[in-house]
Amino acid sequence: RLYKIDQLMIFIGDQGWFYESAKNFLTGGNFPLVGITSSHTWLHQGPLWTYILMVIFLIFGFNPLIPGIFTVLFSVFTIWFVYKVGNDMFGKEVGLVSSFLFSLSPLVIINSRFPFDPSIIPFFAILLIYSVFKWVNKDYKYFPIAIFSLAILYNLELSTIILTGVFAIIFFWGLFKRKEWIRGLVSKKIILSSLVLFVVPMLPIFIYDVFNGFKQTIVFAGWLIYHSVSFLVKKSTGGTTIGETLSFFVSQNSLLIFMPSVIISLVLLFSSWIYLLYKIISTKVRKIEDSYFLFFLFLIIPTISFILNKVPSEAYLPVFFPIYIIVLSIFFTFLMRLRFMRYPIIIVIIFIGVFNSYFLISQNYLSGPHNTYKSISQVKEVSEKIISEIKGNSYNIIIKGEGSQWESSKMNFEYYIWWVSGKEISKDSKYIFIVEQKNGIITVRKK
């Protein structure tokens, strides 16, 4: 996770937006109530990642690498938590296999070295599932933790709202069936702690909404309802197709499970899903309290939603990392228990880990869609060239080529130049530089 991170860490414009937001507040700016705009520009991501960066910068300084080290360490802690969840819900073998595969998954590792708001989503996604599992099995103190997880996930990435949908299905099903794990919530301590743990992470967003037409809450909820049913009555007018979304899903699944082969990854993925479904059907245990059935809900509903909504974005994927890997580990553990299969399957698991590591390092952590992203060494090279040209004056940057349509596209350079030289960008400067990216190569020239 730390190998050549000072050269190969991804550092794109959207990250620069959060870095700039945190830096601006610490150097005398306004307190941010929301994060960067989403793909629907009237909506913003939550501000939590900005606040995390504020704390990091305040303690350790403004070095752009430090947040990457933070997300790496957070990912290492998540490995342990994946083991705990696998162990507590399915047994020690599932816990061990899950943590091993999670620790060496290329996509998980790339994500952990990518200091951005989706990078810490896997921990909170699995914390939500674990908390719901404990709650429906009558450990009621976990209900407020589940509520807290939902608030954090919303802050980190709006698309994780689908997990709120799964949670709502479970809650209202329990209410309808008058389950004991619903009646057990009627406690002042549980209700108050749930309210506090929800309101505190969401408070900046609520304050923002009061002065901005409640776009982040009421309007967003209405849009979600409309968007969920519109594809049934509305003809497609172009844009991303389900086929393109599936193609994206397949390629990313290879990076998650077995980097050298898309086919092997796909076979393993669907075999594990089929086994999980078989396990539920054959045991006739279809209660939410059952760990297999609960995991199936958190697997299938978000996956179907991802495909039907046609959102092929890497930012939407981290929520799936621990879910898919634990389901795969359940399947491997089943195979290990078959006669004469234990040691061959252990060898296969080790083989997956070794080859994933080899391919990831040999391709410089930038395989697949990530090869269009800027590494911090590229940002450094361009920034230092600009610094040498401006000779202590202000400057401006115009982005051409890939990503130039986004307002944040130059903010990684802007932050790096400020960190090294202390100079801020200025639209009125006579020192104007054209930065262009094409096929992963970045060029810079003075206008």
Side-chain angles (χ1 to χ4, degrees), residues 230-334:
S230 63
F231 74 94
L232 297 173
V233 295
K234 187 178 176 183
K235 291 184 178 179
S236 175
T237 55
T240 306
T241 65
I242 287 182
E244 289 169 332
T245 305
L246 284 171
S247 175
F248 172 80
F249 176 83
V250 168
S251 67
Q252 292 296 296
N253 175 64
S254 175
L255 290 177
L256 178 66
I257 294 176
F258 187 56
M259 192 173 184
S261 173
V262 171
I263 299 298
I264 292 175
S265 299
L266 207 57
V267 168
L268 288 174
L269 182 76
F270 286 119
S271 296
S272 66
W273 291 10
I274 291 167
Y275 173 71
L276 182 64
L277 185 59
Y278 164 77
K279 178 81 174 176
I280 294 167
I281 294 172
S282 63
T283 57
K284 299 181 181 178
V285 179
R286 294 160 209 170
K287 296 179 180 179
I288 287 171
E289 297 89 335
D290 178 67
S291 55
Y292 292 97
F293 187 70
L294 182 66
F295 234 83
F296 180 75
L297 290 179
F298 278 100
L299 166 75
I300 202 68
I301 295 174
T303 300
I304 290 173
S305 173
F306 172 81
I307 293 170
L308 290 182
N309 282 288
K310 298 175 286 188
V311 282
S313 167
E314 290 92 338
Y316 298 168
L317 296 176
V319 72
F320 297 115
F321 295 170
I323 300 172
Y324 286 9
I325 284 178
I326 289 177
V327 171
L328 177 60
S329 301
I330 292 169
F331 176 60
F332 275 141
T333 303
F334 157 72

Side-chain angles (χ1 to χ4, degrees), residues 34-323:
V34 289
I36 195 171
T37 55
S38 69
S39 53
H40 301 280
T41 52
W42 56 274
L43 272 172
H44 290 259
Q45 304 294 352
L48 180 61
W49 183 241
T50 303
Y51 301 160
I52 292 172
L53 289 175
M54 285 179 189
V55 175
I56 293 171
F57 292 156
L58 192 62
I59 297 172
F60 300 104
F62 291 95
N63 188 323
L65 280 175
I66 302 298
I69 295 171
F70 167 79
T71 53
V72 162
L73 295 177
F74 201 94
S75 179
V76 171
F77 175 72
T78 306
I79 294 169
W80 168 81
F81 193 60
V82 166
Y83 164 76
K84 178 174 174 55
V85 173
N87 177 64
D88 289 4
M89 293 183 70
F90 304 104
K92 188 173 183 178
E93 286 184 332
V94 173
L96 288 170
V97 175
S98 298
S99 57
F100 178 79
L101 293 176
F102 189 87
S103 68
L104 296 177
S105 164
L107 195 53
V108 172
I109 293 170
I110 290 169
N111 184 75
S112 75
R113 294 159 52 92
F114 186 18
F116 196 25
D117 50 348
S119 300
I120 59 177
I121 284 177
F123 173 81
F124 291 101
I126 201 67
L127 177 63
L128 171 65
I129 297 173
Y130 184 67
S131 301
V132 171
F133 170 72
K134 299 291 279 188
W135 158 49
V136 299
N137 283 282
K138 303 173 188 175
D139 197 345
Y140 302 119
K141 67 177 177 287
Y142 279 89
F143 181 80
I145 299 174
I147 296 296
F148 175 73
S149 301
L150 290 172
I152 295 296
L153 287 166
Y154 176 89
N155 258 272
L156 294 173
E157 172 56 55
L158 293 177
S159 67
T160 61
I161 198 72
I162 186 58
L163 296 183
T164 302
V166 181
F167 178 84
I169 290 169
I170 293 168
F171 182 87
F172 286 110
W173 173 255
L175 199 63
F176 174 73
K177 288 292 187 177
R178 299 180 180 178
K179 292 286 188 177
E180 187 177 340
W181 39 268
I182 290 290
R183 296 197 300 272
L185 300 178
V186 184
S187 154
K188 288 183 180 179
K189 185 178 179 180
I190 296 294
I191 293 171
L192 182 60
S193 55
S194 298
L195 189 62
V196 170
L197 288 175
F198 177 72
V199 169
V200 169
M202 294 294 293
L203 187 58
I205 295 170
F206 292 152
I207 295 171
Y208 172 86
D209 254 14
V210 168
F211 300 100
N212 291 274
F214 298 95
K215 291 179 182 178
Q216 295 291 133
T217 50
I218 297 172
V219 176
F220 180 45
W223 178 83
L224 279 174
I225 294 169
Y226 165 77
H227 190 65
S228 336
V229 297
S230 63
F231 74 94
L232 297 173
V233 295
K234 187 178 176 183
K235 291 184 178 179
S236 175
T237 55
T240 306
T241 65
I242 287 182
E244 289 169 332
T245 305
L246 284 171
S247 175
F248 172 80
F249 176 83
V250 168
S251 67
Q252 292 296 296
N253 175 64
S254 175
L255 290 177
L256 178 66
I257 294 176
F258 187 56
M259 192 173 184
S261 173
V262 171
I263 299 298
I264 292 175
S265 299
L266 207 57
V267 168
L268 288 174
L269 182 76
F270 286 119
S271 296
S272 66
W273 291 10
I274 291 167
Y275 173 71
L276 182 64
L277 185 59
Y278 164 77
K279 178 81 174 176
I280 294 167
I281 294 172
S282 63
T283 57
K284 299 181 181 178
V285 179
R286 294 160 209 170
K287 296 179 180 179
I288 287 171
E289 297 89 335
D290 178 67
S291 55
Y292 292 97
F293 187 70
L294 182 66
F295 234 83
F296 180 75
L297 290 179
F298 278 100
L299 166 75
I300 202 68
I301 295 174
T303 300
I304 290 173
S305 173
F306 172 81
I307 293 170
L308 290 182
N309 282 288
K310 298 175 286 188
V311 282
S313 167
E314 290 92 338
Y316 298 168
L317 296 176
V319 72
F320 297 115
F321 295 170
I323 300 172

